[in-house]
Amino acid sequence: MKKLRVNVNNGYDILIEKGIIKSCGEYIKAVKPCKKVCLVSDTNVFPLYGDTVISSLENEGYEVFTYVYEAGESSKTTDTVIKIVEFMSENELTRGDLAVALGGGVCGDMCGFAAAIYLRGIDFVQLPTSLLAQVDSSVGGKTAVDLPTGKNLCGAFHQPCLVLIDSNTLDTLTPHFFADGMAEAIKMGCIKSESLFEKIENNNARDVIDDVIFECVSLKAGVVERDEKEHGERALLNFGHTAGHAIEKLHSFTTISHGEAVGIGMLIISKAGENGGLTKKGTADRIANVLEKYNLPTEDKNSLGDIISAMNADKKRTGAGIKFVFISEIGNGFINPIKNEDIPSFFGV
């Protein structure tokens, strides 16, 4: 077993071990010996792992109430979160009880947000089953849902009390969703670790996936400890996300996945950075080659002009402009604000 400690607020552990989902109740009981658990999952994941998790929780004496929503980003709305909160209330969970997110990034975001607002905050545990959630979204306490005007615009910072990562769950992922998660791993290499990028670049990631997960989580845990509420360094984790979220919005959050959009976003910002003298020449090509290696798209059907226009809803926008995340070269990210009036010309629109 690999173990990491995230020293934010009261702190929490990230435990990484194949098969750990089968004994999740034991590890959860060690940190949260309460009476009731609200298990949140989706229609894809629950049939695969729901019975295993419920059995493990009940073996430790928990009373388990399960809320299953329709799988997909389209469910990541305020309506769904309110239904989860109402479900918690109907089953009389107290402030001392617990929510458990069993699923990918959408599940973790929604369950965490519901936990943040129910009774002004209850604890929750992350059981991430997708690669994207395991390398990125399950760690750090960002919880949110989408609004019609943009992605993740309604949310809260709410740290989990435990994260249990079982890479065996990746065996049930389709190639599409494995690739989706690889985009976030590639992103982490781009902004923080050339050695991680090279590991992904030079190997079949599936062969070294436990190492990739551990390194991604280690890097992110360090960033979160230094900047929990994204006042500085944590913003680097948004590399590729400004354009990526805009692309997702243009697709109405349905026909392109988060990782696919972020991959394209990384290329857009890297090409602009090269043209503007901010990024080492050849960096965008290197990123494009790795994206293609993992069957991720390198361009979108929407025009660059439409993508730039859709950035208006980005959370990093201020009255004066947008704080864009660039990389000077692979492994070194930095933030560079661009004034609103200069954005189109900077991107060559």
Side-chain angles (χ1 to χ4, degrees), residues 39-97:
L39 177 66
V40 179
S41 191
D42 68 34
T43 52
N44 286 342
V45 175
F46 186 77
L48 296 172
Y49 305 110
D51 289 346
T52 298
V53 172
I54 290 172
S55 176
S56 183
L57 289 168
E58 289 181 341
N59 284 343
E60 297 300 326
Y62 290 107
E63 186 177 5
V64 183
F65 303 90
T66 303
Y67 187 93
V68 180
Y69 64 90
E70 188 67 30
E73 184 82 23
S74 59
S75 289
K76 193 178 167 185
T77 65
T78 53
D79 286 345
T80 306
V81 164
I82 293 303
K83 288 176 182 177
I84 295 171
V85 170
E86 289 174 343
F87 181 79
M88 292 175 174
S89 179
E90 289 164 2
N91 289 288
E92 299 180 344
L93 268 74
T94 69
R95 189 170 286 168
D97 289 320

Side-chain angles (χ1 to χ4, degrees), residues 15 92 191 197 201 214 241 244 249 258 260 277 283 293 348:
L15 306 180
E92 299 180 344
I191 60 170
F197 188 93
E201 185 179 42
F214 182 78
H241 284 59
K249 179 183 175 183
H258 177 69
E260 290 173 331
T283 298
K293 175 179 179 178

Side-chain angles (χ1 to χ4, degrees), residues 20 49 92 102 119 155 166 168 174 239 277 279 285 298 302 321 336:
I20 197 170
Y49 305 110
E92 299 180 344
L102 172 65
L119 299 179
D166 183 349
N168 281 348
T174 64
F239 178 59
T279 302
D285 285 343
T298 56
N302 292 285
N336 187 63

Side-chain angles (χ1 to χ4, degrees), residues 26-313:
E26 175 186 346
Y27 294 102
I28 292 171
K29 188 68 173 287
V31 299
K32 190 68 177 179
C34 59
K35 293 182 178 180
K36 295 181 178 181
V37 169
C38 177
L39 177 66
V40 179
S41 191
D42 68 34
T43 52
N44 286 342
V45 175
F46 186 77
L48 296 172
Y49 305 110
D51 289 346
T52 298
V53 172
I54 290 172
S55 176
S56 183
L57 289 168
E58 289 181 341
N59 284 343
E60 297 300 326
Y62 290 107
E63 186 177 5
V64 183
F65 303 90
T66 303
Y67 187 93
V68 180
Y69 64 90
E70 188 67 30
E73 184 82 23
S74 59
S75 289
K76 193 178 167 185
T77 65
T78 53
D79 286 345
T80 306
V81 164
I82 293 303
K83 288 176 182 177
I84 295 171
V85 170
E86 289 174 343
F87 181 79
M88 292 175 174
S89 179
E90 289 164 2
N91 289 288
E92 299 180 344
L93 268 74
T94 69
R95 189 170 286 168
D97 289 320
L98 180 70
V100 174
L102 172 65
V106 171
C107 181
D109 276 8
M110 287 205 300
C111 180
F113 187 31
I117 60 177
Y118 179 63
L119 299 179
R120 298 192 178 92
I122 66 171
D123 284 336
F124 84 110
V125 170
Q126 289 270 21
L127 297 181
T129 60
S130 72
L131 182 57
L132 187 149
Q134 291 183 1
V135 300
D136 184 63
S137 63
S138 66
V139 176
K142 274 190 176 182
T143 72
V145 295
D146 305 332
L147 298 179
T149 48
K151 187 176 174 70
N152 293 334
L153 297 183
C154 181
F157 286 97
H158 190 55
Q159 300 290 342
C161 61
L162 180 68
V163 181
L164 302 177
I165 296 176
D166 183 349
S167 62
N168 281 348
T169 62
L170 303 181
D171 294 341
T172 56
L173 287 184
T174 64
H176 169 82
F177 283 107
F178 186 86
D180 190 52
M182 283 306 303
E184 289 287 358
I186 293 165
K187 175 210 74 177
M188 187 63 80
C190 284
I191 60 170
K192 280 292 178 181
S193 172
E194 185 177 17
S195 64
L196 171 61
F197 188 93
E198 289 175 343
K199 183 176 292 184
I200 294 168
E201 185 179 42
N202 298 326
N203 295 277
N204 180 337
R206 283 191 179 273
D207 295 337
V208 291
I209 198 61
D210 285 355
D211 292 337
V212 169
I213 292 169
F214 182 78
E215 190 163 352
C216 285
V217 170
S218 298
L219 290 167
K220 185 166 185 181
V223 171
V224 171
E225 287 177 350
R226 294 186 293 271
D227 181 23
E228 180 191 3
K229 299 292 179 67
E230 200 173 299
H231 297 303
E233 182 187 4
R234 188 167 181 175
L236 295 177
L237 299 174
N238 293 315
F239 178 59
H241 284 59
T242 299
H245 286 171
I247 291 168
E248 287 184 88
K249 179 183 175 183
L250 290 170
H251 285 263
S252 300
F253 306 110
T254 56
T255 54
I256 192 168
S257 68
H258 177 69
E260 290 173 331
V262 166
I264 298 169
M266 289 190 286
L267 283 182
I268 289 173
I269 198 70
S270 296
K271 289 176 180 177
E274 288 186 28
N275 292 334
L278 300 174
T279 302
K280 182 180 178 181
K281 292 291 185 182
T283 298
D285 285 343
R286 194 175 173 193
I287 295 171
N289 288 337
V290 175
L291 293 174
E292 289 173 350
K293 175 179 179 178
Y294 292 99
N295 299 311
L296 288 160
T298 56
E299 58 184 17
D300 188 57
K301 68 177 184 179
N302 292 285
S303 70
L304 183 57
D306 287 342
I307 294 170
I308 300 305
S309 295
M311 290 180 185
N312 287 329

